[in-house]
Amino acid sequence: MANTLHRTGRSGILTIARDFSCVVLTAQHELLATAESLPNHVLRGPEIMTRAMTDNHPVLKRGDAFLHNSPYHGCTHPADHSILVPVIDDDGRHRFTVLAKAHQADCGNSLPTTYMGAATDVYAEGALIFPAVKVQTDYQHVMDVIRMCRMRIRVPEQWWGDYLATLGAARVGEREIMALGREIGWDRLDAYAQQWFDYSESRMVDVIRALPAGRVTRSSTHDAFPGTPAEGVTITATVEVKPAEALIEVDMRDNPDCLPNGLNLSEACALSTPMIGIFNSIDHTVPKNEGSFRRIRIHLRDGCVVGRPRHPTSCSVATTNIADRVANAVQAAIADLADGLGQAETGALIPPSCGVVSGVHDGKPFVNEVYLGCTGGAGTPWTDGWLTILHVGNAGMCYQDSIEVDELRHPLFVRTRRLIPDSEGAGRFRGALGAYSEFSPVGCAMTVAYVSDGNVNAATGARGGHAGAPSAQYRRRADGTLEPVPACAEVVIGPDEAMVSISGGGGGYGRPEEREPERVAHDVREGWIAAGRAEAVYRVALTAEGRVDPAATARLREATAA
């Protein structure tokens, strides 16, 4: 399924960045398999979407397909167009559902972006909302729906190609499961699924019982945006580990009500993101499916920014900004339980380097989201921050764009993309460095739409680790000067100007002076940190040749300990 979507999609957000997910669910709405999907797309939400499908369409037939992007009925946000296909056996019985979800370059919003951070409600947002709407019957398109999309979306041919790719991925899944069911028998296949769930639950039970019992409350603050309080939005998560019950509970109810902007989480994201924080913090080999999910309880409330939104609340940015603050708070809370658990905070999204670029070039409109430089990986108990994670909810499943391919596909020129020295969250295991990107339109003006968190509240560390560097954004004027631009905006860049994007670094895990000196020396040799920072922050002295001076380093660290 994923190979089909990747190879046949039309927009760069699918064929370059791979911002899509493919999953299989049982007929009882249980998540069975996710392949290389984005965690915030699939951990929770698909089961709500398939229930909406069966509620709206009690009689399912082979050849049906449904378009779903409603954040009020299980989808992540309106930009994630999803195709659901019920797998019907030869006796007409619904056996499984395959789901392919693809982020759109344009979903009909009132502005040319799929991230409407300032939208006061879904009407200001403008996206067409499809709550499990039938788009195929007997394998034939329902052209009324197709015509609606083509009239509303700015790049209809691009959308049509992406729609067909998503539909094709779902049909491939249907075909292969049909073949498998006929080969080994449907009842045997159902029995396998339940055995897989039971095994996964047993693995989760073993892992939780090995954890220390405890209850920790941790907060993470999103920067002020249009529609938020002046001090920003503080997200609070209370994590309780109950080894005796083999249960982890996360309470997200002590958070603000829904906001008059697009930052609100859909129910799918409000459920998935605490689970991301949990799975980031435990044995990574535990399968992620309905079985392991039985040992997790997420507590939400209606009408909460991290809860269950009511129509017409806007959830345009539900997959990233506040969602990342939730996952960060959970994994940092688990880090507070004991050394060797959890993670620091991952850097924030969405800087201009991950923004939606649009305009008109040679009389033709273009719209696409680019991934031109975003790092932000958090320090963990065992590793340094992952340079290409992009953000915590993505888990590194999307790819950073190729500069050359982006320049071929879009009228833009990438002036530079590089890592920023000394931007890591220092720690025993450091966070990833931030990234600097600068790009310009070619032969036209270009609008860059973004919702950049982390300008003020950078990714914090865990267990004595330091915060990563903050994010920032500028317009470079024709005379070369830098003009600061707002954190949430649609900025028009002229042909003689450039968009400058700075993504934040990840938080560090553990005290910097506990870092292995050879790791520090390596970072200095790579140009990632300066020798002065090695001495002042990590308490590591280097020789003129860049090697560790053991005696001087010991004296520095002894002085710090004293």
Side-chain angles (χ1 to χ4, degrees):
M1 291 171 68
N3 185 56
T4 298
L5 220 167
H6 184 220
R7 292 172 65 87
T8 64
R10 191 164 297 180
S11 66
I13 192 65
L14 300 186
T15 60
I16 302 174
R18 293 177 58 97
D19 194 345
F20 60 77
S21 298
C22 298
V23 300
V24 178
L25 301 99
T26 69
Q28 292 73 44
H29 316 293
E30 300 160 310
L31 185 68
L32 178 60
T34 62
E36 294 182 352
S37 296
L38 282 60
N40 61 357
H41 274 181
V42 301
L43 288 184
R44 293 283 76 179
E47 80 287 1
I48 307 174
M49 298 169 74
T50 57
R51 285 195 186 97
M53 177 187 72
T54 56
D55 288 347
N56 294 349
H57 308 274
V59 179
L60 298 172
K61 297 180 179 179
R62 189 181 298 171
D64 288 346
F66 303 90
L67 175 60
H68 195 326
N69 74 330
S70 172
Y72 317 110
H73 302 86
C75 195
T76 35
H77 68 151
D80 286 335
H81 281 199
S82 306
I83 297 293
L84 285 70
V85 168
V87 180
I88 310 296
D89 69 15
D90 293 331
D91 296 324
R93 183 177 171 185
H94 178 204
R95 291 291 189 167
F96 294 91
T97 301
V98 292
L99 186 156
K101 175 181 288 190
H103 186 98
Q104 301 301 296
D106 184 86
C107 62
N109 279 342
S110 58
L111 294 173
T113 176
T114 49
Y115 297 105
M116 293 278 289
T120 53
D121 56 26
V122 74
Y123 304 118
E125 186 180 334
L128 286 165
I129 303 295
F130 299 99
V133 171
K134 185 179 284 189
V135 289
Q136 275 200 332
T137 183
D138 196 24
Y139 297 101
Q140 300 301 308
H141 298 299
V142 178
M143 291 307 299
D144 287 342
V145 177
I146 304 303
R147 283 189 286 268
M148 287 173 63
C149 292
R150 291 174 69 95
M151 287 297 294
R152 178 66 181 176
I153 291 171
R154 294 172 177 83
V155 281
E157 293 305 316
Q158 179 174 284
W159 171 82
W160 176 242
D162 287 349
Y163 164 82
L164 290 176
T166 312
L167 179 66
R171 290 299 184 198
V172 165
E174 175 194 33
R175 181 191 70 195
E176 295 303 314
I177 293 177
M178 285 294 300
L180 187 61
R182 288 166 175 161
E183 177 184 350
I184 70 170
W186 291 106
D187 291 342
R188 187 179 180 191
L189 195 55
D190 287 340
Y192 164 78
Q194 296 310 312
Q195 291 167 12
W196 177 233
F197 293 150
D198 291 344
Y199 165 78
S200 302
E201 182 179 17
S202 70
R203 289 290 319 281
M204 191 70 167
V205 166
D206 291 343
V207 166
I208 295 175
R209 284 184 173 158
L211 298 175
R215 177 184 172 93
V216 178
T217 297
R218 183 90 181 218
S219 296
S220 185
T221 299
H222 189 286
D223 292 353
F225 266 31
T228 73
E231 64 275 13
V233 185
T234 296
I235 299 301
T236 302
T238 298
V239 181
E240 186 168 10
V241 179
K242 301 177 178 180
E245 301 173 44
L247 191 67
I248 298 177
E249 296 194 53
V250 182
D251 193 338
M252 300 304 308
R253 291 173 291 193
D254 186 20
N255 280 299
D257 291 341
C258 286
L259 301 167
N261 59 27
L263 296 179
N264 306 287
L265 299 197
S266 58
E267 182 180 6
C269 290
L271 291 169
S272 290
T273 49
M275 294 174 70
I276 293 169
I278 291 170
F279 283 113
N280 280 353
S281 304
I282 63 173
D283 182 348
H284 70 277
T285 64
V286 174
K288 287 76 173 172
N289 60 41
E290 206 70 34
S292 56
F293 298 170
R294 296 169 185 165
R295 315 312 306 178
I296 298 173
R297 303 282 187 275
I298 310 297
H299 301 289
L300 306 177
R301 66 179 178 87
D302 294 341
C304 177
V305 68
V306 185
R308 290 176 288 266
R310 303 184 186 96
H311 184 276
T313 299
S314 175
C315 302
S316 183
V317 194
T319 55
T320 52
N321 296 46
I322 293 290
D324 287 353
R325 294 295 179 176
V326 172
N328 277 331
V330 170
Q331 63 194 37
I334 295 175
D336 286 345
L337 280 174
D339 200 354
L341 299 177
Q343 293 187 9
E345 289 193 352
T346 301
L349 276 182
I350 297 172
S353 59
C354 295
V356 177
V357 298
S358 64
V360 178
H361 183 258
D362 289 342
K364 296 180 180 179
F366 65 92
V367 183
N368 193 47
E369 185 176 2
V370 294
Y371 287 171
L372 280 170
C374 189
T375 55
T380 82
W382 319 110
T383 62
D384 291 337
W386 190 357
L387 277 175
T388 58
I389 193 170
L390 190 69
H391 72 116
V392 64
N394 178 294
M397 300 314 299
C398 284
Y399 292 3
Q400 304 274 341
D401 287 3
S402 159
I403 290 174
E404 292 79 7
V405 172
D406 272 1
E407 290 176 341
L408 285 171
R409 294 177 67 110
H410 309 300
L412 62 81
F413 171 68
V414 181
R415 298 186 179 188
T416 184
R417 174 170 65 181
R418 58 178 173 80
L419 297 174
I420 303 172
D422 296 341
S423 59
E424 88 296 353
R428 182 194 318 148
F429 289 98
R430 58 162 177 75
L433 282 74
Y436 178 97
S437 305
E438 186 169 345
F439 55 98
S440 300
V442 176
C444 64
M446 179 172 65
T447 299
V448 184
Y450 57 89
V451 280
S452 182
D453 187 22
N455 286 197
V456 176
N457 297 288
T460 61
R463 306 202 67 83
H466 294 188
S471 57
Q473 55 285 323
Y474 304 90
R475 175 195 283 115
R476 187 178 294 281
R477 292 292 193 182
D479 62 4
T481 58
L482 290 178
E483 172 196 4
V485 290
C488 176
E490 295 82 33
V491 175
V492 178
I493 304 295
D496 55 352
E497 298 177 328
M499 186 82 238
V500 173
S501 174
I502 296 174
S503 75
Y509 190 102
R511 297 166 58 201
E513 58 269 26
E514 297 170 348
R515 184 166 175 79
E516 292 179 10
E518 287 298 336
R519 287 180 173 267
V520 178
H522 174 269
D523 287 349
V524 172
R525 290 194 296 272
E526 291 292 323
W528 292 349
I529 66 172
R533 181 171 174 81
E535 183 170 330
V537 176
Y538 292 94
R539 313 303 287 165
V540 172
L542 302 176
T543 66
E545 294 77 28
R547 303 298 175 186
V548 175
D549 184 328
T553 296
R555 289 193 296 271
L556 284 171
R557 294 191 165 185
E558 287 169 5
T560 300

